[in-house]
């Protein structure tokens, strides 16, 4: 399963990098969203998947799934949510102010 | 802090008060306040002569950075005393001269004297310091002060150009020198010159010997305007004339000479040191004297003549370093070169200082320094003419002036060098006297040109800007008269200097050569008998006169017309090339397009990670520990891959958002499969909110356009993204393989065992989040708070002048 997941992570990264390289600001915002999915899955995969029961002591199982990566991913999800929403509003404001979302048109500034 | 320390830094201290004098005592020329200091210092340093002439040294040390072995250690021996006397003595005369030269009303005297005092203090520091780091510090201050003085009239373009050039070249040399000093420290473990000399076998035996030597010499050669670093000196002539006389003839340019003389005891005796210094010196001598002939500006002639005379002294130091090869102080064959170097050092300072001052007087009284416009000044300015005649005759090497004596000694030592029988001198040694002799011919010729073009011939008042040309005021003439008198006195009675200044200086340049209690035999003869040197001098006079007399013939040639040194083109071209090249590189690389920067970053990551994996063979696949793939996982994967891959292909806003949403919800589903219920919950929630957010701004966002197709760009994008994806896959697989193969137990065992005992919770993930690692959570809350505030600010804040309100 880990190898399958790794391949999927690779695909997510491929697509998000490809989106990062596009001209539309909306696509770049979506790329950050996708890349954070890739990173979260990578965090989980690296420690091994499905090593036992869900990390609830109520189950009284012999083995539990590693809880630490889950805690890390939970933190990461919240933070990337904050970042994504910020970026989204920024994209919206940029479009409002500059009337374009084309990054090639947005490049440079007057006092460069 | 001893008296000696206070004396060394006193110019800096006085410099602090110069602006007050200038501002509050406007009636008196600021220079008069300055004048006292170098005079007092000169007398103070004179009092050391009995000490050094008896062979003693004085060492006074004050800790500065003791932990690094850097002490403000001052050291007085014959060499440093000689330089200190030159600096303060000529400093006094130059300050006196500048009082009459610079107008109290028109000039910014406060700047001038602050820079000049700064320079004087730094120069004293260079020659008196024993610690090489302290020498370096003062060395750079001389560079800075020199640049400030060159650009004193900073509204003139040429001044700033000259200042910048001298700064670049001397700071380049200074930094190289710092490198050389650091290597010396690496070899010997000390920054003190005396200790380095005492442990000189650590240096000579080291493989860093040659690099250290070359780096130090770069510093010395750039400062002392040796070929090909001499180009800054003619451009430094834009400085006021007192500055040219002081810095660019008598003191600063001799800092390199001082350094070479000081370090002869460290590097001397090796063939590299001998040949590099001798050849650099002779080339400089030759180049300077030939270039001086074609100058039309008095100060330019003097600048090139300074270059050539510095080359002369340098080559003598090179030849004299052979004494360390023989390690024999009795034989005058080796030490006469050092004697000649020290003697000419003094002589050059006297006659070149007076010549600069007379050139300044001519400039001051006639308004020009161009020898084509000048002429017939002998009867108008008799005193100036006499001083010039004395100085030029001395420079040309005519008896009975001091230049004659040092030139004879110079020829003697170059002829002697052919008899050393070391360093392949038996085959190549003959070039030394030949080069020296040819250069002397040209020296003689430009001295003739300078005198006769200026003071004889027809007086051309119509070419001059001033109405009435007359002799300079007496105050301005005092300093050049004193220097001119010294030229004559040292010429007639050279032996008054012999055991008071020259012998101690020689002993300081060549320490350890003499047995204790011995002294060098210094007696300067006027008459050697009919020896080759005499015939060489006679031939110099004849040929030099011939060159001068045939001047009409060759003055039409392109050689005479071109004044600028060819190396200036190299410098200017190099400077322009550097600026243009840097601009070009910046323009190519800084496109302002985020996409390009992102490509650089990704390519770099791919290359570094890929190379590391390949080079250290870290990619590994371990299939023993894999978990089985549940059948429904295939379905989930296909949906996930399908939704992710379709994102770039959809050119429809709502479609893209929905597809991304699908991917997010599938991730939540995967969390369920991977037994992570909290993650699944959060992911579901966050994904929903994200999609809602996208929908909210949806109305305000532009329609997605199809990206314009650019084949090459698309291929590049594809390569980079696929490469990045592949690298991440490999990282993921091998991280898993290594993690499971390493055999370390997971730290999570602790959390699982103690979640209930220590924290009283059953949900391990939540216990970790709020108990074991609660700090993360707190800061993550902060992140959310900041993001929320930023969102509110961005939406609410409307700056003036923005397009939408």
């Amino acid at each position: 399963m880990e190898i399958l997941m790794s391949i999927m992570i690779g695909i997510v990264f491929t697509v998000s990098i490809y989106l990062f390289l596009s001209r539309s600001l909306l696509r770049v915002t979506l790329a950050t969203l996708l890349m954070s999915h890739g990173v979260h899955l990578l965090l989980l995969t690296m420690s091994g998947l499905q090593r036992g029961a869900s990390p609830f002591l109520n189950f009284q199982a012999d083995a539990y799934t590693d809880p630490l990566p889950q805690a890390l991913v939970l933190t990461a999800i919240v933070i990337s949510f904050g970042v994504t929403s910020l970026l989204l509003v920024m994209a919206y404001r940029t479009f409002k102010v500059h009337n374009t979302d084309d990054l090639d048109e947005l490049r440079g500034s007057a006092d460069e | 802090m001893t008296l000696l320390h206070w004396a060394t830094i006193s110019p800096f201290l006085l410099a602090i008060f110069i602006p007050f004098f200038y501002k509050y005592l406007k009636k008196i020329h600021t220079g008069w306040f300055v004048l006292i200091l170098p005079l007092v210092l000169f007398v103070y340093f004179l009092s050391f002569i009995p000490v050094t002439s008896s062979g003693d040294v004085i060492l006074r040390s004050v800790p500065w950075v003791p932990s690094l072995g850097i002490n403000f250690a001052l050291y007085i021996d014959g060499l440093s005393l000689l330089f200190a006397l030159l600096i303060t003595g000529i400093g006094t005369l130059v300050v006196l001269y500048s009082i009459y030269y610079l107008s109290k009303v028109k000039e910014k005297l406060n700047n001038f004297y602050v820079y000049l005092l700064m320079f004087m203090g730094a120069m004293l520091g260079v020659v008196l310091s024993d610690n090489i780091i302290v020498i370096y510090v003062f060395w750079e201050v001389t560079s800075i002060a020199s640049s400030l003085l060159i650009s004193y009239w900073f509204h003139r373009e040429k001044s700033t150009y000259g200042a910048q050039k001298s700064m670049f070249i001397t700071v380049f040399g200074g930094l190289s020198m710092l490198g050389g000093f650091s290597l010396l420290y690496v070899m010997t473990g000390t920054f003190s010159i005396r200790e380095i000399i005492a442990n000189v076998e650590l240096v000579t035996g080291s493989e860093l010997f040659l690099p250290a030597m070359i780096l130090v010499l770069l510093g010395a050669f750039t400062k002392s305007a040796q070929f090909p670093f001499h180009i800054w000196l003619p451009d430094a002539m834009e400085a006021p004339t007192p500055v040219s006389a002081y810095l660019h003839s008598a003191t600063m340019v001799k800092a390199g000479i001082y350094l070479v003389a000081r370090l002869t005891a460290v590097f001397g005796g090796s063939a590299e040191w001998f040949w590099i210094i001798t050849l650099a010196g002779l080339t400089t001598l030759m180049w300077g004297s030939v270039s001086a002939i074609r100058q039309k500006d008095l100060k330019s002639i003097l600048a090139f003549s300074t270059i050539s005379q510095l080359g002369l002294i340098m080559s003598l130091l090179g030849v004299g370093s052979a004494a360390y090869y023989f390690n024999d102080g009795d034989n005058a064959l080796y030490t006469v070169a050092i004697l000649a170097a020290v003697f000419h050092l003094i002589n050059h300072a006297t006659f070149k200082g007076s010549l600069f001052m007379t050139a300044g007087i001519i400039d001051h009284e006639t308004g020009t320094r161009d020898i084509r416009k000048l002429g017939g000044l002998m009867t108008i300015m008799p005193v100036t003419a006499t001083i010039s005649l004395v100085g030029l005759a001395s420079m040309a090497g005519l008896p009975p002036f001091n230049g004659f004596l040092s030139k004879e000694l110079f020829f003697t030592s170059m002829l002697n060098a052919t008899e050393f029988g070391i360093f392949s001198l038996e085959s190549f040694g003959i070039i030394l006297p030949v080069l020296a002799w040819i250069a002397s011919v040209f020296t003689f010729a430009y001295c003739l040109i300078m005198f006769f073009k200026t003071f004889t011939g027809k007086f051309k008042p119509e070419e001059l800007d001033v109405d009435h040309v007359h002799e300079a005021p007496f105050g301005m003439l005092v300093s050049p008269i004193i220097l001119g008198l010294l030229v004559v006195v040292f010429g007639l009675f050279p032996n008054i200097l012999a055991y008071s200044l020259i012998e101690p200086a020689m002993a300081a340049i060549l320490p350890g050569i003499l047995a204790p209690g011995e002294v060098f035999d210094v007696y300067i003869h006027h008459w050697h008998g009919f020896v080759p040197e005499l015939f060489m001098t006679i031939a110099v006079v004849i040929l030099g006169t011939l060159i001068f007399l045939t001047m009409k013939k060759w003055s039409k040639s392109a050689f005479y017309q071109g004044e600028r040194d060819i190396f200036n083109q190299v410098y200017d071209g190099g400077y322009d090339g550097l600026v243009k090249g840097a601009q070009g590189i910046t323009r190519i690389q800084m496109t302002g397009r985020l996409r390009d920067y992102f490509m650089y970053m990704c390519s770099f990551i791919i290359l570094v990670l890929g190379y590391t994996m390949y080079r250290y063979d870290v990619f590994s696949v371990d299939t023993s520990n894999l978990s089985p793939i549940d059948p429904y996982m295939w379905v989930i994967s296909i949906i996930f891959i399908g939704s992710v891959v379709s994102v770039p292909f959809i050119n429809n806003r709502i479609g893209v958002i929905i597809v991304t949403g699908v991917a997010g919800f599938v991730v939540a589903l995967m969390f369920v499969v991977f037994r992570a219920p909290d993650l699944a919950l959060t992911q579901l929630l966050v994904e929903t909110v994200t999609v809602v957010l996208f929908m909210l701004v949806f109305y305000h966002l532009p329609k997605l356009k199809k990206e314009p197709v650019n084949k090459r760009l698309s291929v590049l994008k594809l390569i980079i993204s696929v490469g990045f994806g592949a690298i991440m896959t490999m990282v993921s697989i091998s991280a898993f393989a290594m993690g499971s193969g390493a055999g370390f137990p997971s730290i999570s065992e602790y959390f699982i065992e103690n979640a209930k005992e220590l924290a009283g919770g059953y949900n391990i993930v939540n216990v970790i989040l709020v108990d074991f690692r609660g700090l993360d959570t707190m800061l993550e809350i902060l992140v959310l708070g900041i993001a929320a505030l930023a969102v509110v600010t961005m939406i609410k804040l409307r700056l003036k002048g923005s397009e939408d309100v």
Side-chain angles (χ1 to χ4, degrees):
Chain A
M1 179 109 77
E2 281 82 0
I3 295 195
L4 175 69
M5 283 309 295
S6 299
I7 293 169
M8 280 204 278
I9 289 162
I11 291 171
V12 175
F13 270 98
T14 307
V15 170
S16 56
I17 295 286
Y18 188 84
L19 286 175
F20 263 123
L21 295 175
S22 57
R23 290 172 64 164
S24 152
L25 206 51
L26 182 61
R27 283 200 170 93
V28 173
T29 319
L30 287 174
T32 58
L33 192 63
L34 279 181
M35 195 180 254
S36 63
H37 290 332
V39 173
H40 301 156
L41 291 177
L42 179 62
L43 271 172
L44 275 191
T45 309
M46 280 196 302
S47 66
L49 299 164
Q50 285 186 323
R51 293 289 139 125
S54 300
F56 288 99
L57 291 174
N58 318 48
F59 288 121
Q60 297 185 335
D62 294 335
Y64 295 100
T65 311
D66 198 338
L68 187 60
Q70 294 192 12
L72 295 182
V73 172
L74 197 66
T75 312
I77 290 175
V78 177
I79 290 176
S80 45
F81 166 68
V83 173
T84 310
S85 42
L86 182 63
L87 273 179
L88 197 62
V89 176
M90 213 140 83
Y92 148 72
R93 284 293 300 154
T94 310
F95 177 66
K96 276 285 168 191
V97 173
H98 294 284
N99 226 357
T100 176
D101 80 327
D102 188 337
L103 283 173
D104 277 13
E105 286 172 28
L106 285 169
R107 75 185 172 124
S109 61
D111 55 352
E112 199 174 28
Chain B
M1 292 287 274
T2 60
L3 185 59
L4 188 57
H5 286 93
W6 287 114
T8 310
I9 60 166
S10 59
F12 293 108
L13 300 179
L14 180 59
I16 297 172
F17 297 100
I18 290 298
F20 296 101
F21 292 138
Y22 179 71
K23 190 152 185 218
Y24 296 110
L25 295 164
K26 271 200 178 304
K27 290 232 169 89
I28 309 168
H29 195 286
T30 317
W32 291 111
F33 301 107
V34 179
L35 183 64
I36 306 157
L37 181 75
L39 193 64
V40 169
L41 286 177
F42 182 69
V43 174
Y44 173 67
F45 282 118
L46 275 181
S47 70
F48 287 104
I49 285 184
V51 180
T52 56
S53 57
S54 65
D56 286 340
V57 295
I58 288 174
L59 180 70
R60 298 274 181 274
S61 186
V62 173
W64 183 16
V65 193
S67 55
L68 297 176
I70 298 172
N71 300 313
F72 187 17
L74 297 178
Y75 180 66
I76 288 197
D77 62 0
L79 186 65
S80 38
L81 185 65
L82 170 66
F83 271 91
L85 287 174
L86 279 181
I87 292 161
T88 49
I90 298 192
T92 312
L93 297 177
V94 162
V95 171
L96 180 64
Y97 177 75
S98 70
I99 291 172
Y100 289 94
Y101 188 85
L102 293 174
S103 155
K104 189 166 64 182
V105 194
K106 291 181 205 149
E107 303 285 0
K108 283 222 157 254
L109 292 174
N110 50 348
N111 292 353
F112 182 80
Y113 287 108
V114 166
Y115 301 159
L116 197 74
L117 283 170
M118 202 168 120
F119 170 79
M120 192 184 288
M123 201 62 212
L124 279 177
V126 167
V127 299
L128 294 176
S129 295
D130 176 57
N131 193 293
I132 43 183
I133 296 300
V134 179
I135 290 189
Y136 172 73
V137 170
F138 282 121
W139 185 278
E140 293 296 32
V141 177
T142 64
S143 294
I144 294 165
S146 163
S147 293
L148 288 171
L149 283 167
I150 295 168
S151 59
Y152 174 65
W153 289 307
F154 51 81
H155 45 87
R156 297 185 190 167
E157 201 186 330
K158 274 182 143 183
S159 297
T160 48
Y161 171 79
Q164 193 194 40
K165 193 174 183 179
S166 79
M167 186 83 166
F168 277 158
I169 294 177
T170 53
V171 168
F172 159 75
L175 286 176
S176 312
M177 194 180 80
L178 182 63
F181 285 171
S182 310
L183 290 183
L184 279 177
Y185 179 75
V186 169
M187 286 185 269
T188 60
T190 174
F191 283 125
S192 158
I193 291 184
R194 279 173 316 114
E195 286 169 26
I196 291 174
I197 292 173
N199 297 310
V200 74
E201 67 282 350
L202 292 175
V203 181
T204 41
S206 168
E207 55 193 8
L208 292 174
F209 178 79
L210 200 59
M213 187 181 104
I214 289 171
L215 286 173
V216 169
L217 279 183
L218 269 178
F221 284 177
T222 47
K223 199 76 163 180
S224 279
Q226 297 295 299
F227 185 88
F229 305 113
H230 62 275
I231 47 170
W232 66 267
L233 190 60
D235 286 310
M237 290 302 129
E238 296 301 325
T241 302
V243 171
S244 310
Y246 189 40
L247 275 69
H248 305 128
S249 75
T251 52
M252 186 179 87
V253 287
K254 293 200 171 109
I257 304 266
Y258 169 79
L259 193 72
V260 168
R262 187 50 96 194
L263 294 178
T264 299
V266 179
F267 297 109
S270 67
E272 296 90 353
W273 180 262
F274 180 92
W275 276 111
I276 292 178
I277 296 190
T278 310
L279 280 185
L282 284 174
T283 317
T284 314
L285 168 64
M286 186 80 193
W287 190 270
S289 61
V290 173
S291 304
I293 263 208
R294 55 184 193 179
Q295 303 304 315
K296 285 100 196 169
D297 179 284
L298 285 179
K299 273 175 89 175
S300 295
I301 301 180
L302 289 174
F304 277 105
S305 121
T306 304
I307 291 170
S308 93
Q309 303 280 321
L310 291 169
L312 187 155
I313 300 172
M314 198 62 99
S315 67
L316 283 170
L317 287 175
V319 169
S321 74
Y324 270 100
Y325 183 86
F326 296 105
N327 224 343
D328 175 10
D330 294 335
N331 200 332
L333 200 60
Y334 323 124
T335 53
V336 70
I338 300 289
L339 164 66
V342 174
F343 190 42
H344 195 71
L345 186 80
I346 303 170
N347 295 344
H348 178 250
T350 54
F351 67 68
K352 192 52 64 68
S354 74
L355 285 175
F356 265 111
M357 288 177 189
T358 51
I361 289 173
I362 293 164
D363 186 18
H364 205 264
E365 301 306 328
T366 64
T368 182
R369 300 191 306 248
D370 192 326
I371 56 169
R372 286 165 300 191
K373 293 182 185 169
L374 293 168
L377 292 178
M378 180 120 70
T379 48
I380 302 168
M381 307 168 85
V383 184
T384 312
T386 316
I387 303 165
S388 295
L389 182 64
V390 170
L392 289 168
S394 176
M395 184 154 79
L398 288 179
F401 304 107
N402 57 8
F404 169 71
L405 303 169
S406 45
K407 180 143 295 180
E408 295 287 282
L409 285 171
F410 172 54
F411 284 155
T412 311
S413 30
M414 287 299 151
L415 287 169
N416 282 351
T418 58
E419 295 165 21
F420 284 178
I422 49 163
F423 308 148
S424 332
L425 272 170
E426 58 278 8
S427 25
F428 301 111
I430 190 68
I431 58 171
L432 304 188
V434 169
L435 275 178
W437 180 75
I438 299 174
S440 299
V441 171
F442 282 98
T443 307
F444 194 84
Y446 71 69
C447 289
L448 289 182
I449 293 176
M450 208 174 145
F451 183 77
F452 287 106
K453 291 280 169 194
T454 314
F455 293 106
T456 64
K458 212 165 76 60
F459 180 51
K460 294 169 256 187
E462 69 281 357
E463 297 253 22
L464 307 176
D465 299 332
V466 276
D467 306 328
H468 180 60
V469 179
H470 54 79
E471 181 62 280
F474 177 70
M476 208 188 255
L477 286 168
V478 172
S479 302
I481 286 174
I482 293 174
L483 287 171
L485 279 177
L486 284 179
V487 169
V488 180
V489 170
F490 292 160
L492 294 176
F493 313 104
N495 292 309
I496 55 168
L497 295 174
Y499 287 97
S500 55
L501 281 179
I502 297 178
E503 200 281 330
M506 284 173 73
I509 296 174
L510 300 173
I513 287 280
L514 289 174
E518 280 186 66
V519 285
F520 287 103
D521 175 30
V522 180
Y523 187 76
I524 299 159
H525 304 267
H526 282 106
W527 177 250
H528 300 267
F530 291 100
V531 284
E533 292 90 310
L534 183 68
F535 297 111
M536 281 165 84
T537 304
I538 293 171
V540 163
V541 172
I542 295 170
L543 282 176
T545 316
L546 270 180
I547 290 182
F548 174 66
L549 291 178
T550 55
M551 195 175 163
K552 277 224 168 58
K553 297 225 169 94
W554 53 263
S555 62
K556 296 274 183 297
S557 67
F559 163 75
Y560 184 67
Q561 297 306 325
E563 283 174 53
R564 296 280 288 168
D565 221 305
I566 186 105
F567 289 96
N568 284 310
Q569 287 163 19
V570 177
Y571 170 84
D572 291 339
Y575 182 82
D576 287 348
L578 205 64
V579 171
K580 287 214 181 86
Q583 280 172 346
I585 288 174
T586 312
R587 214 175 300 123
I588 291 170
Q589 161 208 0
M590 306 298 282
T591 52
R593 229 181 261 128
L594 289 181
R595 186 204 302 144
D596 292 342
Y597 304 149
F598 202 73
M599 277 185 183
Y600 303 151
M601 288 193 272
C602 290
S603 319
F604 183 75
I605 293 170
I606 294 170
L607 289 177
V608 167
L609 280 182
Y611 175 75
T612 315
M613 284 186 167
Y614 164 77
R615 173 74 179 68
Y616 297 98
D617 201 24
V618 287
F619 179 64
S620 57
V621 186
D622 177 13
T623 48
S624 60
N625 238 339
L626 292 177
S627 22
I629 303 177
D630 303 317
Y632 51 84
M633 198 53 206
W634 290 112
V635 183
I636 296 176
S637 327
I638 289 168
I639 300 173
F640 184 64
I641 293 173
S643 61
V644 168
V645 169
S646 61
V647 171
F649 296 100
I650 301 173
N651 290 317
N652 166 335
R653 283 184 295 172
I654 192 98
V656 162
I657 291 165
I658 288 171
V659 168
T660 329
V662 169
F665 289 120
V666 176
V667 169
L669 202 55
M670 284 181 189
F671 289 150
V672 173
V673 175
F674 300 148
R675 315 264 200 280
D678 294 302
L679 290 191
L681 268 175
T682 319
Q683 178 68 25
L684 272 175
L685 212 65
V686 161
E687 198 56 39
T688 315
V689 177
T690 311
V691 171
V692 168
L693 258 175
F694 269 97
M695 291 300 180
L696 274 178
V697 294
F698 172 80
Y699 173 75
H700 300 282
L701 283 176
K703 290 216 163 54
L704 269 186
K705 279 174 282 194
K706 207 166 177 286
E707 300 261 317
V709 182
N710 177 339
K711 264 222 174 110
R712 270 178 57 199
L713 186 63
S714 318
V715 172
L716 198 61
K717 277 162 72 174
L718 215 59
I719 289 173
I720 289 178
S721 46
V722 171
F724 201 92
I727 287 277
M728 288 316 289
T729 304
M730 285 159 79
V731 165
S732 169
I733 291 175
S734 51
F736 169 71
M738 284 173 178
S740 60
F744 295 114
S746 168
I747 193 178
S748 305
E749 299 300 321
Y750 173 82
F751 295 133
I752 294 167
E753 278 164 23
N754 291 302
K756 183 160 171 285
E757 277 73 39
L758 294 180
Y762 287 89
N763 184 337
I764 307 172
V765 174
N766 286 5
V767 166
I768 292 176
L769 281 174
V770 298
D771 193 311
F772 290 120
R773 301 177 55 88
L775 211 59
D776 288 0
T777 313
M778 195 181 84
L779 294 176
E780 156 201 345
I781 294 168
L782 189 66
V783 168
L784 267 192
I786 291 172
L789 278 176
V791 165
V792 172
T793 315
M794 269 197 297
I795 291 176
K796 292 283 179 196
L797 188 69
R798 292 288 183 274
L799 291 175
K800 248 188 219 166
S802 67
E803 282 106 17
D804 70 328
V805 180

